[in-house]
Amino acid sequence: MDALKSMLSPLGMSSANAIQDTLKLVVIGGTVETARRASAGAWHTFLDSFFLTAHFSQEDYPYDWLMHWLSKQPAWGRSREFEITTRTVSRNGLTQSTTGDLDEEDEDEDEDALVHGRRKRKVAFMPSIDTTHTIYYRGHWLRITRTKRYPDYGHGSALKISVIARNNDILKKLVLEAKREYEKDAEHRVHIFMADTTYGCWRWNGARQKRPMSSIVLQPGVKDMLLADCKDFLCSEDWYAERGIPFRRGYLLHGVPGSGKTSLIHSLAGELGLDIYVVSLSSKGMSDNTLTTLMGHVPSRCILLLEDLDAAFTRSVSRDASSTGAPTASNANSTTTAETNDGSTLSLSGLLNSLDGVAAAEGRLLFATTNHIERLDPALSRPGRMDVWVNFTHATKWQAEGIFKCFFPSKPIGVAATVPSAESSENIDASQKNLPLPKRKVPGHIIPVLDETEISELAKRFADAIPENELSVAALQGYLLKNKVRPRECVEEVAQWVIDERATREKLKKEKAEREAKEKKEAEEKERKEKEEKAAKEQEEKEVKEKSDKKERAKAKKALRAEAAMKLEGASSSTTSLNTPEAVIPVVLSASESSSSESEGSNGGIEADTEESITSEEEPDKTADGAGAVDSAVKDNHSKEKWVAVKADS
């Protein structure tokens, strides 16, 4: 017994020690896990109490503000993880260059110099995505992370900024500072947004340089009237609300092509500091619901542009004065096919409801352009939808003189400098003071700056050579662009240019008339061929129908003759079965035999005549004669049967 205890005692001691060690490990592990969870909870509590996090989406403006602000921070350019790229133009059209960009060694070289027709590419270092970067701002450390919301599609970036603070004042200051810097750098640009009919939203299309109002030369007083009316409308929201009038304003710009309608809208947008939202009513997929959705998402302070309003519901239509707004004969089929395939179901009622319906946006300036105002529906151009009408005509002599002075600057009398000085900048038009200064140190072309007296004289001579209301403003601008460094030669050659322009217009007019005559002739020839083919087809169908009718009639007659023959055979068989004298029976049999023989002969004639009528239509009377013979034979047979029956009874 003692020996057994001595043998089992080591095992008992080892199992007890193992249990103790296991319990120790459980206690230690539980303590560590509890400490970990407690520390994690404390850390999350600390973050919730002191850390503030702001999220910014690429679809909204604050994202652009902050990205533009970050591009100017030195710490953003000294990131430890970055991407090397040459595409530094952001969505707002501004160049996002960081302090860590790679510059050329030759600093004196012009940055805008052209290399083989294009500008030099600048290498930029951009912090990579999905990486946290730390920036010190006003006594706080900012943790910034840039991510992709939709990695599969390659767009939809987002920005997350975290900071340790008790309140969100630091983030408010950051956003406001970024907004001020962004607006300061972007004040010389006009943003263009295009309607996306696929998703029913607005897509940023680019930023354009502002155009000064002085570059738009219209009839005296037109520019000032439009600018004053737009400013008065934007400041009259309370006045409209007090009187219960929808806060909307519409402008209809109509006239000849190339007269400056779109340029005026661009200039007004730059002067008023508004973005332009462009809607193409004839685009693919445009419908009443899509247009209503787009109009509902338009901001309250913007310019809504509807270009070529007269061609909204027609396609493949010429824009000249002779056009009626309907597709021509040459492209009618293609137009119909395009209308049925492009999915555009926009109606006039839907357009009217989107402009001033219940869901229409307020606070926007609506500009519509058209070349033919007579084609517009009165309900579309009435006051309330189009409040101000402006007519654009061909260039007048007064406009020609103003455009010439706009192209060729002048220096005041007695000033020897060829470049405008700082003192002379005060005399510049107010609309040109906000324009950015040119970046080039040395201009690519030198424009001779003439005296004000000489420029005025040249402008008057230029205007005298331009015919009144004959040439478009775009044509004058094109001619001056070709002679932008030759003011004197430009005036001397303008008379010959007018002659050449007239000859070119006559030539184009003649070619157009010949083309239209050719298209008309081809259309008539095509229509004639279609009529001939249609008549031939109808004649062929008529002949086939007549043949089929004759075949049917022949078959019907044949069936009738066969039925009559069967009736005769039945009558003869019933007559022979009667109990009559032997002397009378031969008479009846002979009569029936004769009638049957006659019917067989007539049936043979009928079959022959029927076959001949099917193969040839020249002997229609034979069938009728055969039918008459059959009828007479049937009648004779009946009369003989009656006579024989009476004789037998007697």
Side-chain angles (χ1 to χ4, degrees):
M1 198 66 180
D2 294 335
L4 182 61
K5 289 182 179 180
S6 62
M7 292 176 63
L8 295 176
S9 59
L11 296 175
M13 292 297 294
S14 60
S15 61
N17 293 333
I19 293 174
Q20 291 178 359
D21 294 341
T22 303
L23 292 176
K24 289 179 181 179
L25 292 176
V26 170
V27 172
I28 295 173
T31 304
V32 172
E33 179 63 19
T34 303
R36 187 189 68 79
R37 293 187 179 184
S39 61
W43 175 251
H44 287 300
T45 303
F46 172 76
L47 292 180
D48 295 338
S49 302
F50 297 98
F51 256 89
L52 297 176
T53 303
H55 298 268
F56 303 91
S57 176
Q58 189 179 12
E59 285 77 13
D60 206 353
Y61 286 108
Y63 178 87
D64 298 332
W65 303 342
L66 289 171
M67 289 300 298
H68 183 67
W69 179 82
L70 289 172
S71 65
K72 296 183 177 182
Q73 303 304 314
W76 187 254
R78 295 195 300 267
S79 176
R80 304 289 295 178
E81 187 174 352
F82 49 84
E83 298 175 357
I84 300 178
T85 179
T86 58
R87 297 180 176 89
T88 57
V89 179
S90 64
R91 187 182 68 173
N92 51 28
L94 302 177
T95 302
Q96 290 185 350
S97 57
T98 63
T99 56
D101 291 348
L102 184 62
D103 297 329
E104 298 287 344
E105 296 180 358
D106 189 4
E107 297 180 356
D108 296 335
E109 190 175 0
D110 188 7
E111 294 181 357
D112 292 337
L114 299 180
V115 179
H116 301 294
R118 63 182 182 184
R119 299 186 186 280
K120 288 185 176 180
R121 296 188 182 274
K122 189 175 182 179
V123 181
F125 289 78
M126 297 294 295
S128 60
I129 299 176
D130 296 330
T131 304
T132 302
H133 311 278
T134 304
I135 295 179
Y136 188 76
Y137 173 73
R138 291 192 178 187
H140 296 79
W141 289 99
L142 304 179
R143 294 172 59 84
I144 302 173
T145 306
R146 198 161 58 98
T147 58
K148 284 283 187 181
R149 297 180 62 186
Y150 310 106
D152 296 336
Y153 298 97
H155 62 84
S157 299
L159 197 66
K160 184 178 72 173
I161 300 179
S162 301
V163 60
I164 300 177
R166 293 293 299 176
N167 51 44
N168 57 4
D169 292 340
I170 185 66
L171 292 178
K172 291 180 180 178
K173 294 178 182 179
L174 173 63
V175 173
L176 292 177
E177 181 179 347
K179 179 177 180 292
R180 284 192 297 267
E181 292 189 7
Y182 174 86
E183 292 178 346
K184 181 180 178 181
D185 294 339
E187 65 177 350
H188 306 300
R189 293 181 176 272
V190 176
H191 297 276
I192 311 296
F193 294 86
M194 300 294 294
D196 187 350
T197 57
T198 304
Y199 301 99
C201 61
W202 297 97
R203 298 292 183 185
W204 184 81
N205 192 52
R208 306 291 184 267
Q209 197 76 20
K210 286 185 178 180
R211 182 168 182 172
M213 289 291 291
S214 60
S215 64
I216 307 298
V217 183
L218 301 176
Q219 295 297 329
V222 176
K223 287 192 304 181
D224 299 336
M225 180 272 294
L226 284 176
L227 186 59
D229 189 85
C230 292
K231 290 182 177 179
D232 178 72
F233 168 76
L234 295 175
C235 299
S236 305
E237 185 174 2
D238 296 336
W239 186 90
Y240 277 81
E242 291 174 359
R243 288 153 180 80
I245 303 174
F247 187 51
R248 292 186 288 264
R249 192 72 169 167
Y251 301 87
L252 180 60
L253 310 183
H254 61 94
V256 297
S259 54
K261 297 185 288 293
T262 306
S263 300
L264 175 62
I265 296 171
H266 185 189
S267 181
L268 284 173
E271 188 69 20
L272 299 173
L274 302 177
D275 296 334
I276 300 177
Y277 288 75
V278 184
V279 179
S280 178
L281 299 178
S282 59
S283 61
K284 180 180 180 181
M286 181 63 71
S287 62
D288 295 346
N289 294 333
T290 303
L291 184 60
T292 303
T293 304
L294 290 170
M295 293 298 184
H297 294 164
V298 172
S300 60
R301 289 292 190 273
C302 70
I303 290 180
L304 182 63
L305 176 58
L306 305 178
E307 287 192 310
D308 294 333
L309 194 61
D310 57 300
F313 307 103
T314 58
R315 297 165 180 81
S316 301
V317 177
S318 60
R319 301 174 63 185
D320 57 358
S322 61
S323 178
T324 60
T328 57
S330 60
N331 55 21
N333 295 332
S334 60
T335 302
T336 305
T337 304
E339 290 180 356
T340 55
N341 294 335
D342 65 358
S344 178
T345 59
L346 180 64
S347 62
L348 178 61
S349 176
L351 175 60
L352 299 179
N353 291 330
S354 64
L355 293 181
D356 60 352
V358 178
E362 294 189 353
R364 85 289 184 277
L365 295 173
L366 173 64
F367 279 85
T369 63
T370 178
N371 297 322
H372 305 283
I373 191 174
E374 67 278 0
R375 299 180 191 167
L376 299 182
D377 192 277
L380 183 59
S381 59
R382 68 164 176 81
R385 294 190 176 103
M386 302 297 169
D387 304 289
V388 181
W389 293 16
V390 181
N391 184 22
F392 287 75
T393 60
H394 285 302
T396 61
K397 294 182 178 296
W398 186 87
Q399 285 180 293
E401 184 176 354
I403 294 174
F404 186 89
K405 291 181 179 179
C406 180
F407 266 80
F408 301 104
S410 61
K411 62 181 179 180
I413 300 176
V415 179
T418 58
V419 178
S421 60
E423 293 79 3
S424 62
S425 62
E426 298 179 358
N427 299 325
I428 300 177
D429 189 0
S431 60
Q432 293 183 345
K433 292 182 179 180
N434 294 329
L435 293 179
L437 296 176
K439 296 181 180 179
R440 294 184 180 181
K441 300 177 182 179
V442 179
H445 51 270
I446 300 176
I447 301 177
V449 181
L450 306 180
D451 294 336
E452 185 176 356
T453 305
E454 186 177 1
I455 287 293
S456 300
E457 182 181 355
L458 292 175
K460 193 175 186 320
R461 289 172 53 193
F462 179 79
D464 293 338
I466 299 298
E468 188 80 13
N469 291 326
E470 183 177 342
L471 301 174
S472 64
V473 177
L476 293 182
Q477 182 176 344
Y479 173 73
L480 293 175
L481 282 174
K482 292 189 297 184
N483 299 275
K484 56 187 176 183
V485 296
R486 304 167 61 243
R488 298 184 181 91
E489 293 82 355
C490 174
V491 176
E492 294 175 358
E493 299 172 359
V494 66
Q496 183 62 35
W497 173 77
V498 171
I499 296 174
D500 297 341
E501 190 71 13
R502 287 174 175 172
T504 303
R505 292 174 62 184
E506 290 295 331
K507 181 180 178 181
L508 294 176
K509 186 177 180 181
K510 183 178 179 181
E511 291 178 354
K512 183 179 179 181
E514 293 177 354
R515 184 172 62 254
E516 290 178 352
K518 183 179 179 181
E519 291 177 355
K520 184 178 180 181
K521 185 178 179 181
E522 291 177 354
E524 292 177 354
E525 184 69 19
K526 184 178 180 181
E527 184 178 0
R528 184 182 62 80
K529 289 182 179 180
E530 290 178 353
K531 288 182 178 180
E532 292 178 355
E533 292 177 357
K534 185 177 180 180
K537 187 176 181 181
E538 291 178 353
Q539 182 66 23
E540 184 179 356
E541 292 177 353
K542 185 178 179 181
E543 293 177 356
V544 172
K545 186 176 181 181
E546 290 178 355
K547 289 182 179 180
S548 62
D549 292 342
K550 289 180 179 180
K551 289 181 180 180
E552 292 294 333
R553 288 195 300 268
K555 289 180 180 179
K557 289 180 180 180
K558 185 177 180 181
L560 290 174
R561 304 303 178 266
E563 185 178 357
M566 291 176 64
K567 288 181 179 180
L568 289 175
E569 292 177 359
S572 62
S573 61
S574 62
T575 304
T576 55
S577 64
L578 293 175
N579 187 12
T580 56
E582 295 179 358
V584 180
I585 293 173
V587 177
V588 176
L589 291 175
S590 62
S592 62
E593 288 176 358
S594 61
S595 62
S596 62
S597 61
E598 289 176 358
S599 63
E600 288 177 359
S602 62
N603 289 336
I606 292 171
E607 292 177 357
D609 294 339
T610 304
E611 292 178 357
E612 291 176 0
S613 64
I614 293 174
T615 56
S616 176
E617 298 179 359
E618 296 179 356
E619 299 178 356
D621 296 335
K622 292 184 179 180
T623 305
D625 296 339
V630 172
D631 295 337
S632 60
V634 172
K635 291 179 181 179
D636 295 340
N637 190 17
H638 282 291
S639 62
K640 291 179 181 180
E641 289 177 358
K642 291 180 181 179
W643 181 82
V644 171
V646 171
K647 186 175 181 181
D649 293 338
S650 61

